[in-house]
Amino acid sequence: LDILRKEIRDVTENIINQVHHRMELSKQIGELKNKMSIDINDEKAERDIRGSVLRLSKKVKMDTDFSARLLNILLMESVRLQEDQQSDAKHEQTHLAVFMKAKELEAMGKKIIHLEVGEPDFKPPKRVKHAIIRAYNHSLYHYTETRGIKRLRDAIAKKARNNITGEEVIVTPGARFALFIAFQSLLKPGDEVIGIEPAWPAYKDCANLMGAKINFLKTTLEDRWLPNTRNLRKMINPSTKMIVINYPNNPTGKLLDIRTQEQIVSIAKENGIYLLSDEVYSDYTFGGFRSILESNYDKSVMISSFSKTYAMTGFRVGFAIARNEIISKLAKVQACALTSVAEPMQYSALAALRADSASKNRLIIQKRLNLISERLKDMSLSFFEPEGGMYVYPRLNNNTNDTAIVEKLLDVGVAVAPGSGFGSSYKRFIRISACQGENVLKKGLAAFEHAMDTG
Ligand code: PLP
């Protein structure tokens, strides 16, 4: 035993030395990429190295799933090292960073027009107020079942249609937490996820936090933000365990047509991988919306929320819908983290479902998006007219950089989200949110026009 223990220690030390050597090489490669101004992520180089590692592990009869995960951990570390070398990657701004900065300025007494965050300015339904008072009066303020109270789960299932039952629902503190527990319970460190860019930054953050590798299929304004499913198929490898989609999309306002949605479902099905569909904006749809639940794929996970539809961001109530076996996995992580969503908030959400404010709110947002679109047309900017969601994502003209315009606008009291917060290739875009009244929007857009005109 002692001899074997010594040998295993030597082998482990050897591995660490080799990993160190690998990191030094990565840094050298990073310096070259920086000098040559080429992208850090190189799909071909990754494919080549993955191919040779998988061939080797098959030859020595090692578990290929394990070796692929080990390789991904090394690849992610290389990307991290190379990103650290590039100064602008380090200073990437997100809409949340701008929001925090705007809040600081407000605390110093400056007036700010908030066009950066996705928080509707209207009030939650009146019924919600009564539900909170009723919850207090009836002592409904205890721990609940981790998955959420049955009445709420049943009501969510009923709204989702498609023969969904309350057993296939988990109530979470916001869609963000539903995403977090889905990643934590369905992925292992070193697994891969595919997202579609531009994308809400939480997908990348959640993947990074748990050591999963996220690869993005990029979409372009020229292609009307339509994902190329042929390229998506090519991105799948044995480590890919999940595809994440978000339609209506934040930030582009794109809706997926049924054909493309079905192609994505087929790719997930053929490879037996999870398909997570973030549908928080589904009630803000101005054409036909089709939930992923209609595809009846047994490895799909739909997440949504009360935040946007009912203007209840601070109540922190969202949910995930999936097969019972998947929901059980999500519930295990939720039980570890927070027992259950606060009971009064669950009753508030139940009351919101009985209100009829969703269609009224949709009309308000649609009208505002039209107003923004018309103003952007006056300014001759290129953008996709939103089919849903709460945002417009125009391209800046004259090679203007997003962070330059964001800083300039903050100086005059207008906060907008930099496009690169949704993917590093979108430095020439900004996101304008339709969560303020029309007069405020007009003022913010006038400041934007002035900032663009004055370079
Ligand atoms: N998903 C997307 C695409 C979002 O844009 C947001 C919020 O901006 C969320 C989820 C978060 O929703 P919640 O407040 O329910 O956590």
Side-chain angles (χ1 to χ4, degrees), residues 4 163 281 357:
L4 284 174
N163 298 324
Y281 298 106
S357 52

Side-chain angles (χ1 to χ4, degrees), residues 95 117-119 172-179 199-203 246 248-250 278-281 303-308 312-314 316-319 390-391 422 431:
H95 60 290
V117 280
E119 250 197 313
T172 59
R176 186 185 275 275
F177 201 75
L179 172 76
W200 185 46
Y203 309 131
N246 163 226
N249 182 261
N250 170 13
D278 179 342
E279 299 180 5
V280 292
Y281 298 106
I303 64 173
S304 194
S305 169
F306 289 78
S307 291
K308 315 287 178 181
M312 288 170 67
T313 47
R316 309 308 302 131
V317 190
F319 54 90
M390 306 194 309
Y391 315 99
F422 304 90
R431 188 192 74 176

